């Protein structure tokens, strides 16, 4: 090997040879998500969902090696804030988060509703939001939307994931929760519950959209590369195919 290196150095080929070896190692992207079907969720030992499959397609398109893991939302969000080349999804891009991440998207529009149990009184104005107790997922944008609308912090019952929040609502521990139409319908089916057991009480927010959020200290070209791939897959119709495979209907909203 020493003789080979000497020969390559003498002939000027060592540099390109080493460069080729370096390029052979794909760049690694660590992506954290949570359990929020049908956008990102676990099925056995495999992560699935609209956003998850979209990210896989992006990584295949860009040649990245993506390592995905489902953890509680607060941990996923904190990891992406702290470490370069780490992403959190599916993330609401709202004004208070704008400077925290590099953004890749949009993936889906963001429209959220306040849901209550069957028979609950519908709300007639935003001031009535403060009269309810909510099951919320710790660290999610929906909790901040509620507080911005005047809901006190002590009216928010924090849960680790959306399934726990929905169980709290159905069991009567909370009076309301925030979700999208598609997300609520999916989660109710997964619990074996009928959609007639819940009803929308108020349209909470249509601010922003849903994105992949990348740590701001990441490789500067990483977000650009992912964005270019997302735009290409959108033009090709791949994103619509992924969504239809889960929804079997026109695209809804996500978190």
């Amino acid at each position: 090997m020493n003789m080979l290196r000497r020969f390559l150095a003498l002939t000027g080929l060592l540099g390109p040879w080493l460069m080729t070896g370096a390029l052979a190692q794909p760049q690694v992207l660590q992506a954290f998500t949570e359990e929020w079907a049908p956008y990102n969720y676990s099925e056995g030992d495999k992560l699935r969902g609209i956003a998850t499959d979209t990210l896989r397609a992006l990584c295949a398109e860009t040649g990245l090696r993506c390592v995905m893991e489902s953890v509680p939302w607060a941990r996923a969000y904190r990891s992406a804030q702290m470490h370069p080349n780490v992403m959190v999804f599916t993330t609401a891009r709202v004004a208070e988060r704008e400077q925290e991440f590099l953004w890749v998207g949009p993936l889906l529009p963001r429209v959220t509703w306040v849901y209550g149990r069957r028979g609950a009184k519908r709300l007639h104005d935003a001031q009535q939001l403060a009269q309810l107790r909510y099951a919320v997922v710790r660290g999610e944008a929906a909790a901040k939307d509620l507080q911005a609308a005047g809901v006190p912090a002590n009216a928010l019952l924090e849960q680790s994931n959306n399934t726990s929040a929905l169980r709290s609502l159905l069991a009567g521990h909370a009076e309301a929760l925030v979700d999208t139409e598609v997300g609520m319908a999916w989660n109710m089916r997964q619990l074996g519950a009928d959609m007639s057991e819940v009803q929308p009480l108020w349209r909470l927010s249509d601010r922003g959209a849903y994105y992949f959020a990348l740590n701001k200290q990441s490789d500067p070209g990483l977000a650009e590369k992912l964005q270019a791939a997302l735009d290409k897959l959108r033009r090709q119709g791949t994103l619509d195919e992924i969504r239809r495979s889960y929804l079997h209907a026109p695209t809804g909203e996500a978190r």
Side-chain angles (χ1 to χ4, degrees), residues 20-32:
T20 302
L23 291 175
Q25 299 299 318
Q27 188 174 14
V28 177
L29 173 67
Q30 175 72 59
F32 289 102

Side-chain angles (χ1 to χ4, degrees), residues 116-118 166 170 184-185 187-199:
R117 293 188 304 280
R118 179 175 53 201
L166 179 54
L170 296 177
M184 175 60 81
N187 288 321
M188 289 290 284
R189 284 198 301 270
Q190 295 305 301
L191 289 182
D194 191 276
M195 274 299 292
S196 64
E197 294 184 40
V198 296
Q199 63 182 38

